């Protein structure tokens, strides 16, 4: 994983370096105003970025407002632009903010106009003095040294206006016959140019030429002469923009005498900016060349400009396409980069997951082998003590001096020693399979006959559970296989089916031959298997969630023995409808028939005579022997018949004992007989002990019954889980009988002591001592019903039961268990307690009180009152 992460990070770094090898610059452009000439400059600057894709432009226009331009430059400084291109509105007004930018280390290029400060990096623009001088010389030549001239200047205080005027006047010094009779300021605007020309005309000031410092003011002056219908005044301007209605078209059309090309050259401005930013050499002052435009050359210049516009449009179009292609290319680079990263990550994840799975599988295999090795060692060690238990028990059990109960106990020991011995054998067999030491002892036999014998061994157990056993084999099937292992496979599958098939169910044991294969199946209509358990059902040590007890070895051995025969084991199941276990193996195994039969240990089949329907023995005793009504009732719930038999034998002298083989049946019996205490296992099929305990404690009729969980689960967290589900005691197997008897007696005694607190007289008396909220709510509801209906002489136990939701028997046993009184006694005591209160606190006579508390006759009331309190109500 470290290698893959290193590769990914290296790729990221290389990509980052590749995308950042050219630094990106942000250039702020501050224009003093908006006009056609400045729009042309801005467009040229934008087009220049086509060659310099590492520069980004930000434009701002002040509209001839000094304050606004100062704010805009301050904003550029705040944003941290890399360079400023500034065209100042006036020579003095924004010098301070330009100085501020310069002092902060931001290079400043002054374009077209200058300020009165020397804090700038470079200047680029036309030589305005030279422009004014050229126009002055042209006018002088046109007038042949004699004439009167008016000058319309731009913005007063701006460097172009000052420089153009100075050059113009210096050119005229050589022509003393020419006089400038008027000078006006029109702020570079056409309308103001027209207004100022109006003023000159209305003063009747005779002039031959008008020098306007830009074409817009020149056109405004022209419109004034046309408006006043004055002819003979010639007008010149500056800019010569080749745009519709611009100076160059007006010169071509003869409306202006001349103009002067005032160059924008945005490409040179951008080149100067990048020379400064990229530390290349540059000049501080850069002057651009212009040219005079007259009617002689205006048309040629316009044609050249038209061709240039076409080329510019073509270039813009091409640039747009290039931008699109570059965007697509960049997107593709990003997609390829992301795809590469995702691919590398997926490879890394796959490698990590693969290694994790391999490591986990190796750990699981090592853990399984360690577990099997441990069980194998323990199994070997258990064989000696099991032998020393089994032989003495077998010797003692034949002693004629044993009474029936002693012999019954020893039979339980004998059976469970056999169970433990069989478990030891299964573990050792499975270990042999794992180590590859298990061999097949082949023989030829009639599978059909053997299947009949194997099924008959379960007949007694099936009869006691009223389960129908059905053999389905069409004709004799002769196979060559290891008979003992096939027998073990079938026994394990039949035992599981018996365990999980309810009373009245059906088990079908079948086999069919198909070409060279035989299919053996065991199907039942029992509880079925959860869908999530089916893929793991044959795994060693795996136990399904509804399995109750077990080791997880039996089905693993079925699969192992089947695969030894080169076959397959399968299961299909539907929850609540049953399961079908099937094995498929060849009819004839390769190999020679063994001359010596393998030693077989007959599987243990539970055919105990005492494992009949639970509670049968108790019911017979109740019929034959007089019933001792003072004996408390104990309900034992365990899926192990021997545990139930043992507990019944040891408890029956002191208690009436009922039994159930699973939690669901136990819950039904508890609701029917309402025992005084319940002893339950946890790991049981159909419904386990925890779920049983949870449902019992939430059932109003039986929530008061104490529950002892008697289980092999002995860890602290397992004990805590039992108490969380409402258990009153938790005893781990193997258990001490003396401890169990003590806990039973203590819980019953505690219940009796608790019932003494509840006489029904005081509604608030010690309800908190009850163990569950269900019981507290029940007592509160019972008392409320009685108190509300005390005056109703027809109030009966049936009515109370209907209102609470319990039958007469359930109500009787519930009230008796909690209060020590029957419902009738509790009702009578409550009526007498209310009567005593009324006699002591009111003026009612005995008859009135008797009727008020629900007695039908005063005489019967007086009799009951005297029995309860030892004195007559009259006294």
């Amino acid at each position: 994983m470290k290698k893959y992460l290193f590769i990914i990070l290296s790729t990221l770094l290389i990509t980052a370096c590749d995308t950042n090898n050219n630094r990106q610059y942000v250039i702020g452009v501050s224009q003093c105003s908006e006009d056609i000439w400045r729009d042309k400059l801005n467009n040229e600057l934008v087009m220049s970025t086509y060659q310099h894709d590492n520069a980004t432009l930000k434009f701002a226009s002040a509209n001839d407002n000094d304050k606004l331009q100062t704010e805009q430059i301050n904003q550029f400084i705040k944003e941290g632009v890399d360079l400023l291109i500034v065209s100042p509105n006036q020579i003095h007004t924004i010098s301070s903010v330009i100085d501020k930018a310069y002092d902060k280390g931001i290079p400043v290029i002054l374009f077209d106009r200058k300020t009165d400060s020397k804090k700038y990096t470079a200047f680029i623009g036309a030589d305005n003095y030279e422009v004014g001088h050229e126009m002055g010389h042209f006018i002088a030549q046109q007038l042949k040294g004699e004439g009167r001239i008016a000058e319309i200047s731009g913005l007063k205080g701006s460097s172009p206006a000052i420089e153009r005027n100075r050059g113009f006047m210096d050119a005229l010094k050589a022509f003393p016959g020419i006089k400038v009779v008027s000078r006006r300021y029109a702020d570079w605007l056409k309308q103001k140019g027209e207004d100022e020309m109006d003023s000159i005309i209305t003063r009747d000031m005779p002039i031959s030429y008008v020098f306007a410092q830009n074409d817009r003011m020149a056109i405004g002056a022209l419109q004034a002469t046309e408006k006043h219908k004055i002819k003979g005044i010639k007008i010149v301007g500056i800019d010569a923009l080749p745009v519709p209605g611009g100076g160059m078209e007006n010169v071509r059309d003869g409306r202006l005498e001349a103009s002067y090309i005032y160059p924008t050259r945005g490409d040179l401005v951008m080149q100067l900016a990048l020379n400064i930013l990229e530390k290349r050499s540059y000049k501080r002052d850069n002057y651009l060349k212009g040219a005079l435009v007259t009617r002689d050359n205006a048309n040629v210049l316009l044609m050249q400009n038209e061709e240039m516009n076409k080329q510019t449009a073509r270039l813009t179009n091409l640039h747009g396409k290039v931008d699109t292609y570059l965007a697509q290319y960049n997107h593709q680079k990003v997609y390829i980069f992301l795809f590469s990263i995702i691919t590398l990550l997926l490879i890394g994840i796959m490698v990590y997951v693969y290694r994790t799975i391999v490591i986990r599988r190796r750990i699981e295999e090592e853990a399984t082998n360690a577990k099997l090795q441990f069980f194998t060692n323990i199994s070997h060690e258990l064989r000696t003590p099991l032998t020393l238990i089994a032989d003495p028990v077998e010797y003692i059990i034949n002693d004629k001096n044993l009474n029936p109960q002693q012999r019954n106990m020893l039979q339980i020991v004998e059976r469970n020693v056999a169970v433990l011995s069989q478990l030891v054998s299964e573990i050792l067999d499975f270990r042999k399979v794992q180590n590859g030491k298990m061999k097949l002892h082949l023989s030829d036999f009639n599978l059909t006959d053997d299947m009949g014998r194997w099924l008959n061994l379960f007949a007694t157990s099936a009869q006691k559970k009223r389960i129908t056993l059905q053999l389905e084999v069409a004709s004799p099937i002769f196979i060559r296989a290891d008979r003992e292992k096939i027998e073990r496979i079938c026994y394990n599958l039949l035992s599981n089916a018996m365990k999980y098939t309810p009373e009245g169910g059906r088990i079908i044991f079948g086999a069919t031959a198909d070409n060279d294969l035989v299919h053996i199946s065991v199907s039942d209509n029992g509880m079925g298997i959860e869908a999530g358990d089916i893929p793991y059902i044959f795994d060693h040590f795996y136990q399904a969630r509804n399995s109750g007890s077990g080791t997880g070895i039996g089905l693993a051995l079925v699969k192992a023995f089947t695969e030894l025969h080169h076959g397959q084991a399968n299961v299909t199941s539907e929850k609540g409808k049953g399961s079908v276990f099937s094995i498929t193996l060849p009819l004839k195994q390769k190999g020679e028939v063994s001359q010596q039969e393998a030693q077989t240990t007959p599987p243990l089949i539970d055919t105990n005579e005492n494992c009949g329907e639970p509670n049968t023995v108790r019911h017979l005793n109740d019929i034959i022997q007089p019933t001792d009504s003072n004996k408390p009732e104990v309900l034992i719930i365990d899926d192990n018949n021997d545990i139930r038999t043992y507990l019944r034998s040891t408890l029956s002298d002191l208690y009436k004992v009922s039994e159930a083989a699973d939690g669901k049946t136990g819950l039904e019996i508890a609701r029917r007989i309402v025992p005084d205490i319940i002893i339950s296992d946890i790991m049981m099929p159909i419904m386990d002990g925890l779920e049983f305990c949870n449902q019992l404690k939430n059932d109003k009729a039986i929530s008061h019954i104490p529950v002892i969980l008697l289980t092999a689960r002995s860890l602290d967290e397992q004990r805590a889980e039992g108490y969380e589900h409402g258990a009153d005691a938790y005893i781990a197997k193997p258990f001490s009988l003396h401890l169990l008897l003590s806990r039973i007696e203590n819980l019953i005694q505690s219940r009796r002591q608790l019932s003494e607190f509840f006489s029904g007289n005081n509604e608030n008396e010690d309800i908190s001592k009850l163990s569950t909220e269900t019981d507290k709510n029940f007592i509160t509801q019972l008392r409320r019903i009685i108190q509300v209906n005390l005056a109703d002489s027809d109030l009966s136990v049936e009515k109370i039961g209907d209102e609470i939701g319990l039958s007469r028997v359930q109500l009787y046993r519930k009230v008796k268990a909690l209060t020590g009184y029957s419902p009738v006694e509790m009702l009578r005591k409550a009526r007498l307690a209310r009567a005593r209160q009324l006699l002591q606190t009111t003026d009612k006579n005995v008859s009135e009180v008797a009727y008020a508390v629900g007695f039908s006759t005063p005489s019967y009331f007086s009799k009951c009152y005297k029995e309860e309190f030892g004195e007559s109500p009259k006294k």
Side-chain angles (χ1 to χ4, degrees):
M1 283 303 294
K2 289 181 180 178
K3 292 180 181 178
Y4 290 113
L5 287 173
F6 177 76
I7 292 170
I8 292 169
L9 290 173
S10 300
T11 306
L12 287 170
L13 288 172
I14 291 168
T15 307
C17 293
D18 181 62
T19 55
N20 292 303
N21 55 1
N22 292 326
R23 183 182 168 188
Q24 295 294 312
Y25 299 108
V26 178
I27 299 173
V29 181
S30 173
Q31 295 282 20
C32 59
S33 61
E34 290 184 3
D35 53 48
I36 298 173
W37 186 84
R38 297 198 182 278
D39 288 343
K40 182 173 181 290
L41 169 64
N42 291 342
N43 290 334
E44 290 173 353
L45 288 172
V46 171
M47 287 190 66
S48 298
T49 61
Y50 297 170
Q51 290 180 288
H52 308 285
D53 57 359
N54 60 333
T56 302
L57 299 174
K58 289 187 173 183
F59 292 95
S61 175
N63 296 318
D64 298 318
N65 187 320
D66 297 327
K67 183 178 179 182
L68 178 58
Q69 189 169 26
T70 300
E71 291 174 355
Q72 290 170 346
I73 295 173
N74 271 320
Q75 181 62 31
F76 282 141
I77 295 171
K78 185 177 178 181
E79 292 174 3
V81 297
D82 296 292
L83 182 139
L84 275 172
I85 298 174
V86 182
S87 181
N89 191 40
Q90 297 189 54
I91 198 167
H92 306 292
T93 52
I94 65 168
S95 297
S96 59
V97 72
I98 292 176
D99 291 349
K100 177 181 175 182
Y102 187 84
D103 291 338
K104 282 185 174 291
I106 301 175
V108 178
I109 295 177
L110 298 179
F111 175 73
D112 175 39
R113 303 180 181 186
K114 290 186 178 181
T115 67
D116 58 0
S117 173
K118 297 300 181 182
K119 290 185 177 182
Y120 64 90
T121 308
F123 167 80
I124 185 168
D127 188 341
N128 282 294
Y129 177 86
E130 180 66 25
V131 171
H133 194 277
E134 285 287 330
M135 295 307 292
H137 191 266
F138 172 78
I139 292 173
Q141 285 184 331
Q142 294 296 313
L143 291 175
K144 298 180 180 179
E146 294 290 338
R148 294 164 60 87
I149 302 173
E151 182 183 5
I152 301 177
S153 296
L155 181 66
K156 189 175 183 179
S158 65
S159 63
I162 295 170
E163 291 296 319
R164 289 176 186 180
N165 171 259
R166 191 163 61 85
F168 180 69
M169 297 306 294
D170 286 349
L172 294 181
K173 286 179 181 179
F175 302 96
I178 296 177
K179 303 294 182 185
V180 177
V181 296
S182 179
R183 188 181 183 199
R184 305 297 180 95
Y185 290 96
D187 299 339
W188 313 109
L189 302 176
K190 183 174 75 171
Q191 185 59 49
K192 290 199 71 175
E194 184 178 349
D195 294 342
E196 295 300 329
M197 191 65 189
D198 272 338
S199 177
I200 293 171
I201 291 171
T202 54
R203 293 188 179 186
D204 198 19
M205 194 178 294
I207 53 175
S208 303
Y209 256 92
V210 175
F211 168 46
Q213 288 190 354
N214 74 356
D215 289 340
R216 285 191 297 172
M217 295 185 294
I219 292 171
L222 178 64
Q223 289 176 347
T225 60
E226 290 173 346
K227 181 174 62 176
H228 291 282
K229 299 180 180 180
I230 296 174
K231 296 185 178 181
I233 300 176
K234 297 179 179 179
I235 303 171
V236 298
I238 296 174
D239 285 343
L241 290 175
V243 296
M248 197 171 287
E249 280 192 357
N250 279 285
V251 172
R252 181 197 63 187
D253 298 339
R255 303 183 71 215
L256 297 180
E257 283 298 306
S259 184
Y260 194 90
I261 295 176
Y262 190 70
T264 51
R265 296 304 304 270
D267 56 332
L268 295 181
V269 178
M270 180 60 70
Q271 186 61 59
L272 175 62
L274 289 172
N275 285 344
I276 294 170
L277 289 170
E278 294 174 354
K279 311 300 182 186
R280 293 195 290 266
S281 62
Y282 62 91
K283 291 182 180 180
R284 191 164 189 258
D285 292 305
N286 303 271
Y287 291 98
L288 305 175
K289 295 294 184 180
L292 185 68
V293 178
T294 64
R295 190 178 301 178
D296 296 335
N297 62 3
N299 195 50
V300 174
L301 290 173
L302 282 171
M303 291 174 63
Q304 290 177 345
N305 181 72
E306 185 179 354
E307 184 62 28
M308 187 179 296
N309 286 340
K310 290 180 181 178
Q311 297 298 330
T312 300
R314 189 177 293 112
L315 179 61
T316 303
N317 184 43
L318 288 173
H319 184 264
K321 290 182 179 180
V322 169
D323 281 345
T324 302
Y325 297 148
L326 283 174
Q328 293 174 352
Y329 172 70
N330 288 330
H331 289 158
Q332 289 172 355
K333 281 204 306 183
V334 170
Y335 295 151
I336 292 171
F337 173 71
L338 291 176
F339 176 76
S340 301
I341 294 297
I342 292 169
T343 303
L344 289 172
L345 286 173
L346 286 175
I347 292 171
I349 291 169
M350 289 171 65
V351 170
Y352 175 76
V353 170
Y354 174 76
R355 291 187 61 187
T356 302
I357 291 171
V358 169
I359 292 170
R360 183 182 298 167
R361 187 171 297 168
R362 186 170 68 244
I363 292 171
E364 288 175 354
E365 288 176 357
E366 290 174 355
T368 300
N369 289 332
K371 192 184 296 184
L372 281 171
Q373 184 62 49
F374 171 75
F375 284 142
T376 303
N377 295 338
I378 292 295
S379 299
H380 281 295
E381 294 298 325
L382 285 175
R383 283 195 161 182
T384 298
L386 283 173
T387 302
L388 294 175
I389 295 171
D391 283 350
V393 167
E394 186 179 358
Y395 176 78
I396 297 171
I397 205 170
N398 294 316
D399 191 337
K400 296 180 180 180
N401 295 322
L402 295 176
N403 61 43
Q405 185 177 13
Q406 291 171 333
R407 180 168 282 104
N408 189 35
M409 291 286 191
L410 286 172
Q411 287 173 345
I412 292 173
V413 174
E414 186 178 44
R415 280 195 305 274
N416 283 278
V417 168
V419 169
L420 195 53
S421 297
Q422 181 172 305
L423 177 59
V424 167
S425 297
E426 284 187 345
I427 291 173
L428 292 175
D429 285 345
F430 190 73
R431 184 60 173 166
K432 285 181 182 179
V433 173
Q434 292 291 100
N435 291 336
K437 295 180 180 179
M438 179 67 75
K439 304 296 182 184
L440 293 178
H441 299 277
L442 301 179
S443 61
D444 293 320
F445 59 95
N446 186 341
L447 178 64
T448 304
D449 292 344
D450 284 341
M451 285 178 64
R453 284 194 294 272
W454 298 336
L455 189 62
N456 285 336
L457 291 175
F458 291 88
T460 303
S461 298
Q463 185 178 3
K464 291 171 182 175
K465 289 184 70 175
R466 299 196 301 278
I467 293 175
T468 302
L469 297 180
Q470 186 174 336
L471 180 66
E472 291 187 354
V473 186
S475 58
I477 300 174
F478 294 95
I479 68 171
R480 176 175 292 181
D482 189 323
R483 182 175 181 177
E484 186 264 342
K485 291 179 177 57
I486 300 298
E487 182 180 13
R488 293 275 294 278
I489 289 171
C490 294
Y491 278 141
N492 279 341
L493 295 180
L494 287 168
S495 295
N496 271 357
M498 287 290 297
K499 183 177 180 180
Y500 296 109
T501 301
E503 291 186 10
R506 176 184 295 272
I507 296 173
I508 300 174
F509 186 30
T512 57
D514 181 15
N515 294 327
D516 296 330
L517 299 174
V518 61
H519 307 282
I520 303 172
S521 65
V522 175
S523 60
D524 63 69
N525 60 351
M527 58 191 298
I529 304 170
E530 296 280 357
D533 292 323
I534 290 177
Y536 313 103
I537 203 71
F538 290 107
D539 291 355
H540 42 258
F541 304 126
Y542 184 80
Q543 288 180 276
R545 280 163 280 186
N546 60 0
S547 63
S549 59
T551 61
I553 290 290
L555 288 177
L557 209 57
V558 167
K559 182 182 179 184
F561 285 174
T562 302
E563 290 176 349
L564 267 176
H565 283 83
H566 309 97
Q568 287 185 333
N570 296 291
V571 60
T572 58
S573 182
E574 188 173 349
K575 184 67 176 173
K577 293 188 177 181
S579 306
V580 178
F581 284 86
S582 61
I583 62 168
T584 302
L585 37 97
L587 277 169
K588 291 188 178 295
Q589 296 293 319
K590 294 180 181 179
E592 297 297 325
V593 174
S594 299
Q595 299 300 319
Q596 184 179 1
E597 285 286 335
Q599 293 183 353
T600 62
T601 302
L604 180 68
I605 307 296
D606 187 6
T607 57
N608 179 23
E609 294 179 359
N610 295 324
C611 70
E613 182 182 354
N615 305 313
T616 301
V617 176
R618 179 214 151 169
H619 295 161
L620 288 173
N621 290 339
D622 287 347
I623 295 169
I624 297 169
Q625 301 172 2
T627 302
D628 186 356
S629 60
N630 293 325
K631 276 187 177 183
E633 180 89 38
V634 177
L635 172 61
I636 300 169
I637 307 174
D638 201 304
D639 61 330
N640 188 299
N641 179 67
D642 285 337
I643 289 288
R644 297 200 309 274
T645 301
Y646 174 66
L647 290 175
R648 184 179 67 236
S649 299
T650 56
L651 298 177
S652 57
D653 290 339
L654 301 172
Y655 308 99
K656 290 188 289 185
V657 181
S658 297
E659 303 171 44
D662 60 78
K664 182 179 179 183
T665 307
L667 200 61
E668 294 170 356
I669 294 174
R671 287 171 177 152
R672 187 170 67 248
I673 68 174
V674 191
D676 294 283
I677 195 165
I678 296 173
I679 302 169
S680 175
D681 188 18
I682 289 182
M683 298 177 67
M684 297 181 293
I686 303 177
M687 180 188 289
D688 64 26
L690 295 177
E691 179 62 23
F692 163 79
C693 198
N694 190 57
Q695 290 199 27
L696 179 134
K697 292 299 181 180
N698 286 285
D699 191 317
K700 186 186 297 184
I702 52 178
S703 59
H704 64 284
I705 303 173
V707 178
I708 298 175
L709 291 180
L710 190 65
T711 176
R713 291 158 53 101
S714 59
L715 298 177
D716 288 343
E717 55 266 28
Q718 293 169 338
R719 288 175 179 272
E721 187 180 16
Y723 286 121
E724 286 170 2
H725 282 78
D728 296 272
Y730 195 104
I731 299 177
K733 298 175 182 176
F735 58 90
S736 162
L737 180 62
H738 178 71
L739 173 63
L740 177 62
L741 290 171
S742 298
R743 293 301 291 137
I744 293 172
E745 185 59 31
N746 286 341
L747 285 170
I748 292 176
Q749 189 61 33
S750 296
R751 181 60 62 184
R752 285 173 181 166
Q753 291 174 357
L754 183 62
S755 67
E756 294 176 2
F757 287 102
F758 300 98
S759 64
N761 300 337
N762 187 349
E763 292 185 16
N764 300 316
E765 190 175 43
D766 296 312
I767 288 180
S768 62
K769 294 182 181 291
L770 293 171
S771 60
T772 68
E773 287 298 322
T774 306
D775 289 345
K776 293 175 185 177
N777 293 336
F778 172 79
I779 287 295
T780 301
Q781 186 181 11
L782 177 64
R783 285 176 167 173
R784 180 184 58 77
I785 293 170
I786 289 174
Q787 293 299 324
V788 169
N789 296 282
L790 276 179
D792 183 5
S793 60
D794 293 328
L795 180 64
S796 63
V797 176
E798 286 79 4
K799 285 185 178 180
I800 296 173
D802 288 342
E803 191 160 346
I804 291 179
L806 297 177
S807 68
R808 179 185 178 89
V809 174
Q810 288 175 327
L811 180 64
Y812 175 85
R813 291 178 177 170
K814 177 86 175 178
V815 174
K816 187 75 173 177
L818 286 177
T819 68
Y821 302 118
S822 69
V824 174
E825 290 173 329
M826 192 173 179
L827 176 58
R828 185 172 66 249
K829 283 181 174 291
R831 283 173 167 166
L832 291 172
R834 172 63 71 84
R836 188 175 182 85
Q837 181 187 15
L838 291 174
L839 289 170
Q840 290 174 346
T841 59
T842 67
D843 295 331
K844 291 182 178 180
N845 59 38
V846 173
S847 296
E848 290 173 333
V849 169
Y851 293 129
V853 295
F855 280 87
S856 56
T857 62
S859 59
Y860 180 64
F861 165 70
S862 297
K863 177 179 178 294
C864 292
Y865 190 93
K866 189 169 185 179
E867 289 175 355
E868 180 71 19
F869 300 113
E871 59 183 358
S872 70
K874 290 183 179 180
K875 184 177 180 181

